[in-house]
């Protein structure tokens, strides 16, 4: 059964982690389906994506510690999948671990009043390192307290330090994000893409993020049609016909 919903309306892709009964916990299946959703978004006609979690108790409670998806990077837009269109995140309730990575990677964020952001991986004993880019999004000392102490900040504090754009009553976060998405969707796509790419070049990236981006690009090359055509042509002792696909 799918655990990520993709709905397209008015040029907006609504991507929802749909495991409310499990606090939208991150599993290998969630990672796989989010990766596919970002590929679909990037290659499709939708102009803006809205990422959220089902229900108001948790955007996501983080990784399933019984089966940690160490390839979370595959599910992160502009890391595991090259995405040059705007991405908005709408959160409510707990935003734990990898959930905070999604928020830092988004272009805009809307938080319900009951949102609590935390990154407890130092207490658990593992980390993929993607979160290091948080120090480029919010003040250094605030980021380090979150990461090293493993504490939490509420929605209002997140707004004060620039992690989110809006704090809204719980239950209205998705509609508030939709309103932002509709405004963006009406703007010039080429300008949006260019500005997002330029800003991506300005923002510092940690070693895990740089490695993940490189790994994703290599994987894309080695799964492309040209890859299969090149191998087939070599085995068949003929000249390959490359199409750039």
């Amino acid at each position: 059964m799918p655990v990520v919903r993709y709905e397209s309306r008015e040029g907006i892709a609504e991507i929802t982690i749909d495991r409310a009964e499990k606090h939208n916990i991150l599993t290998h299946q969630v990672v796989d389906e989010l990766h596919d959703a970002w590929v679909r978004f990037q290659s499709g006609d939708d102009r803006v994506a809205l990422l959220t979690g089902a229900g108001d108790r948790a955007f996501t409670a983080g990784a399933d510690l019984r089966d940690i998806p160490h390839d979370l990077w595959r599910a992160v837009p502009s890391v595991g999948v090259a995405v040059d269109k705007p991405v908005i995140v709408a959160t409510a309730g707990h935003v734990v671990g990898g959930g905070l990575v999604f928020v830092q990677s988004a272009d805009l964020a809307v938080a319900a009043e009951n949102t609590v952001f935390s990154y407890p991986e130092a207490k658990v004993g593992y980390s993929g390192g993607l979160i290091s880019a948080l120090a480029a999004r919010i003040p250094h000392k605030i980021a380090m307290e979150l990461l090293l102490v493993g504490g939490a900040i509420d929605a209002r504090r997140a707004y004060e330090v620039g992690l989110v754009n809006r704090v809204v009553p719980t239950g209205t976060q998705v509609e508030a994000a939709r309103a932002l998405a509709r405004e963006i969707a009406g703007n010039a796509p080429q300008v949006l893409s260019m500005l997002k790419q330029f800003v991506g070049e300005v923002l510092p990236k940690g070693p895990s993020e740089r490695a993940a981006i490189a790994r994703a690009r290599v994987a894309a090359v080695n799964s492309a049609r040209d890859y299969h055509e090149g191998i087939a042509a070599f085995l068949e002792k003929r000249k390959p016909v490359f199409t750039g696909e």
Side-chain angles (χ1 to χ4, degrees), residues 52-128:
T52 191
D56 293 330
R57 294 186 302 168
F59 170 65
T60 173
D64 182 349
L65 296 183
R66 295 178 178 82
D67 188 21
I68 298 171
H70 289 293
D71 61 345
L72 177 69
W73 59 270
R74 297 180 56 248
V76 181
S78 299
V79 178
V81 178
V83 174
D84 63 3
K85 304 177 189 179
V87 175
I88 303 172
V89 168
T91 66
H94 295 289
V95 181
V96 182
L100 189 52
V101 173
F102 290 132
V103 175
Q104 79 172 17
S105 72
D107 301 298
L108 298 170
V110 176
E113 291 174 331
N114 73 334
T115 301
V116 177
F117 301 91
S118 63
Y119 200 84
E121 289 187 351
K123 293 182 175 181
V124 179
Y126 87 95
S127 176

Side-chain angles (χ1 to χ4, degrees), residues 218-242:
V218 170
V221 168
N222 292 338
S223 62
R225 290 184 182 179
D226 278 355
Y227 165 81
H228 295 288
E229 166 61 13
I231 298 296
F234 177 82
L235 295 175
E236 296 166 8
K237 295 181 173 55
R238 61 174 173 82
K239 184 178 180 179
V241 180
F242 293 127

Side-chain angles (χ1 to χ4, degrees), residues 168-218:
V168 298
T170 301
T172 68
Q173 66 277 0
V174 174
E175 187 50 50
R178 284 174 183 151
L180 275 173
R182 285 192 290 268
E183 285 192 61
I184 294 171
N187 292 336
Q190 288 188 344
V191 175
L192 297 176
S193 176
M194 181 190 73
L195 291 177
K196 173 157 180 166
Q197 289 180 11
F198 285 3
V199 170
E201 294 176 12
V202 170
L203 283 173
K205 296 174 176 59
S208 292
E209 187 173 357
R210 291 195 301 269
I213 291 170
R215 187 172 177 181
R217 292 187 66 179
V218 170

